[in-house]
Amino acid sequence: MTHPRFYLPANLNGPTAELLGPEAHHLHNVLRLQPGDEIELFDGDGTEATARVESASKKRVEVSILSRQPGAAELPAPLILATAVPKGDRFRWLVEKATELGVTRLVPLQTERSVVDPRATKLEKMRAAVIAASKQCRRARLMEITPLQNWAEFLTSLPAGDPLLIAHPGGAAWRADWVAGERPTTICIGPEGGFSEAEISHANARATLVDLGPRILRIETAALALVALRGASLRS
């Protein structure tokens, strides 16, 4: 049996906890849960707990912690998605699906051909979308969304030796042995016009270029295709 799930960014090691604000409102006013009902909590850092409602109002809910355990829905190795930002609601959709597929960190990229540079307020909204998606897919660790980074500074920040995959026409077809083992993998997706040749040249010495086929894919389609392939190789 699955219980309603709530995000509580607090230490879950104590005997009791409190839900406040929107989470309390959702429990009390929307789901209409009552004292004695059981729920699930997660802290966004990898821990989840089963709890029992002790008292509830629209602004404050008190619960008793019944059990706690590490979340079991994470991939066994970090997966970083660095991507140009698609237009409109497509970015939110990408954030939701990347969360569901187990991405550890999403890095919005500013490239030569980028047409969308999200403001800090937009990124905050996307972080709220991560929480909602984590409730749905039962992740206990929130996918991180970093501030916008330009291509050059992003490449400089990457540890040497970890797999770096760039979606780019003319690359090789996917091979699972590129990412054998459990080292962090970084997947890079360019804007609608693709990475420039200068940008590819900047990364080429350390990157593997991946061709995703003869069709022109949108940013979010290419991103999720590569993320799913990497996730499947970790689970196989």
Side-chain angles (χ1 to χ4, degrees):
M1 177 182 177
T2 60
H3 302 300
R5 192 170 175 86
F6 299 88
Y7 172 53
L8 181 60
N11 191 323
L12 298 179
N13 290 326
T16 63
E18 287 184 345
L19 290 172
L20 304 172
E23 295 290 80
H25 172 82
H26 186 67
L27 183 150
H28 181 262
N29 289 45
V30 179
L31 298 181
R32 299 188 180 279
L33 299 182
Q34 302 295 322
D37 289 335
E38 292 189 4
I39 62 173
E40 289 183 7
L41 303 172
F42 69 102
D43 66 359
D45 289 323
T47 298
E48 57 189 17
T50 301
R52 181 177 60 241
V53 176
E54 299 296 344
S55 65
S57 68
K58 64 181 180 180
K59 294 184 179 180
R60 183 170 177 268
V61 175
E62 294 184 349
V63 301
S64 297
I65 304 295
L66 304 178
S67 64
R68 62 189 61 82
Q69 55 280 327
E74 299 304 311
L75 294 173
L79 179 53
I80 297 93
L81 172 62
T83 179
V85 177
K87 297 177 182 178
D89 290 341
R90 290 162 51 203
F91 187 30
R92 182 184 180 91
W93 188 86
L94 171 57
V95 166
E96 290 176 347
K97 303 312 169 189
T99 301
E100 291 178 28
L101 289 172
V103 170
T104 309
R105 182 186 313 126
L106 188 148
V107 181
L109 287 178
Q110 184 178 39
T111 69
E112 288 184 25
R113 297 170 179 163
S114 290
V115 295
V116 179
D117 294 333
R119 297 179 180 179
T121 52
K122 177 77 168 181
L123 295 180
E124 281 304 312
K125 290 180 180 178
M126 293 304 101
R127 294 183 183 105
V130 170
I131 294 172
S134 297
K135 290 181 183 181
Q136 182 273 321
C137 72
R138 313 195 76 76
R139 285 184 71 173
R141 187 176 298 279
L142 295 182
M143 181 181 74
E144 177 189 0
I145 299 180
T146 75
L148 185 71
Q149 295 185 34
N150 69 49
W151 180 237
E153 71 180 1
F154 172 71
L155 291 176
T156 301
S157 72
L158 293 177
D162 291 345
L164 172 61
L165 309 179
I166 300 177
H168 191 68
W174 167 263
R175 285 172 37 190
D177 60 355
W178 285 336
V179 289
E182 297 184 356
R183 299 193 69 170
T185 298
T186 299
I187 290 169
C188 299
I189 308 295
E192 301 293 357
F195 288 110
S196 70
E197 289 306 314
E199 287 171 327
I200 291 297
S201 178
H202 192 184
N204 210 14
R206 59 177 303 184
T208 300
L209 304 184
V210 186
D211 192 319
L212 293 175
R215 293 165 298 281
I216 303 298
L217 305 182
R218 284 185 158 182
I219 294 169
E220 63 274 25
T221 309
L224 297 180
L226 273 182
V227 165
L229 286 168
R230 175 52 173 150
S233 71
L234 284 168
R235 292 299 190 189
S236 61

